[in-house]
Structures are given as C-alpha cells and as structure tokens.
Amino acid sequence: MRAVIAEDSVLLRIGLVKVLEMAGFEVAAETGDAGGLLTAVEEHRPQLALVDVRMPPGFTDEGVRAALLIRRQWPETAVLLLSQYVEERYAADLLSAQAGGIGYLLKQRVADVEEFIDALRRVAGGGTALDPQVVAQLLLRRGGADPLERLTPREREVLALMAEGRSNAGIAGELVVSESAIAKHINSIFSKLDLPHADGAHRRVLAVLRFLDGV
C-alpha cells in the first residue's frame, strides 16, 4: 500500500517513514506543508495520507482543511490526522465528513509502535481510529444533549471504545467481560441507532459517526 506523509517536523517525519515502512507501506512522498500534501495525493493516489493538523504557513488548521479536501476529491485515500494536543473541533470536522477511512490521534501515540501500526492499517482499511483523549473531550462536550439516550450506560461505554478503534476482543479486555457479551451489546447498539443492515465493519463505522454526530 502506498502512503504519503505531511509533517513539518523533519525528525518526526523521518520516524513516521520508518514506522510506515515497518507496517508494510510504501512511502510515495513526504512533505512539510498542505500544498505539498495535495500535490502528492493527486500524483500518487495513495491508500493512506498521514497528516499533521498544524502546518505552515499559519500553523492553525491547514492539515484539517487539506484532509477534508482529500476526502472530497480522492475518497479512496484514507486520512489519519496527528495532533500535538486534543483539538476536538478538528476531529469532529473530519470525522463527521465521511463514513470510514478516517482517524485522529495524538502524536504521543506514535511512541507505542505496535498500536500505532494497528491504527494505520485499520484506517487504511476503511475503519476509524480516534484517540481516547479526544473521545473523552467529545463526551464532555456533548453534555446533556445526548441523542443516544436510548443506549444503556454499558452500551455507551462499548460505543466509546469502538470510537477509539478497539476490536471486540480489545473492548472485552478493557471491560473485563466475554467477547460474546460485547457482540450482544454491539448488536443492540446497531438496533437502537436504527443502522441499516450492511457488512459489520461498515455498520461499526456508522455507529461511531452517529456517536460523534452533532458534537
């Protein structure tokens, strides 16, 4: 699979190249700004774009705006955003725009190479990867206006872990229950959110997006 990297820190960019290569990606291009990113995606049509949220010239939301443009013009390219801090508005902007192949992680997650590689592959495969700290911020931001009020507290826990990109086994381990119990909770979540019948992975992404809707 081909990937492109947009990160203005040269040292971090070098590290990301190594990690992506370890994960089996071919790094087709690397750049330090949003303009270079868009040029690289148009030229190489990668399966994955790894994008810094803040890049030159303004160091504000250049990466997010470029990511949204990529998802509109080249929807076959998955996008994983990296940020130094929790900026939930940017996460909501990106995650509410498309149903899959999207992620938002804090840069500190790169240090856990195994988990980071898992997130890369999951996003490139059409899934999601949302940082636990971003999930926590989004939950706080929702306050009392929660459109998911039909869910039980346990189902909310399961859905929040799904938003992080956890597998059924990972959720079961976190909540110390069986995988079959998690499968029942997830089926109940699908039913209560009135999600259409589709393949399991797609319904999972739709559930996560419903969770984030309106934040």
Side-chain angles (χ1 to χ4, degrees), residues 21 57 71 82 95 100 143 152 158 164 177 180 196:
E21 290 175 344
R71 295 299 282 157
L82 292 177
L95 292 166
T152 66
V158 170
E164 293 177 16
V177 297
S180 62

Side-chain angles (χ1 to χ4, degrees), residues 151-159 162 168 171-172 175 177-192:
L151 301 185
T152 66
R154 175 61 76 170
E155 288 166 350
R156 289 171 184 268
E157 286 184 287
V158 170
L159 185 51
M162 286 169 63
N168 284 17
I171 297 172
L175 299 180
V177 297
S178 68
E179 285 190 52
S180 62
I182 295 302
K184 290 179 182 177
H185 285 310
I186 291 175
N187 285 333
S188 178
I189 289 168
F190 290 159
S191 176
K192 290 181 179 180

Side-chain angles (χ1 to χ4, degrees), residues 14 18 24 30 34 36 39 44 53 77 80 87 92 118 122-123 150 162 171 183 186-187 194 206 215:
I14 291 171
K18 296 297 184 184
E30 49 183 288
T39 298
H44 299 287
V53 166
T77 297
L80 177 56
E87 299 173 284
D118 181 63
R122 188 165 61 248
V123 172
R150 285 182 286 177
M162 286 169 63
I171 297 172
I186 291 175
N187 285 333
D194 300 318
L206 289 175
V215 297

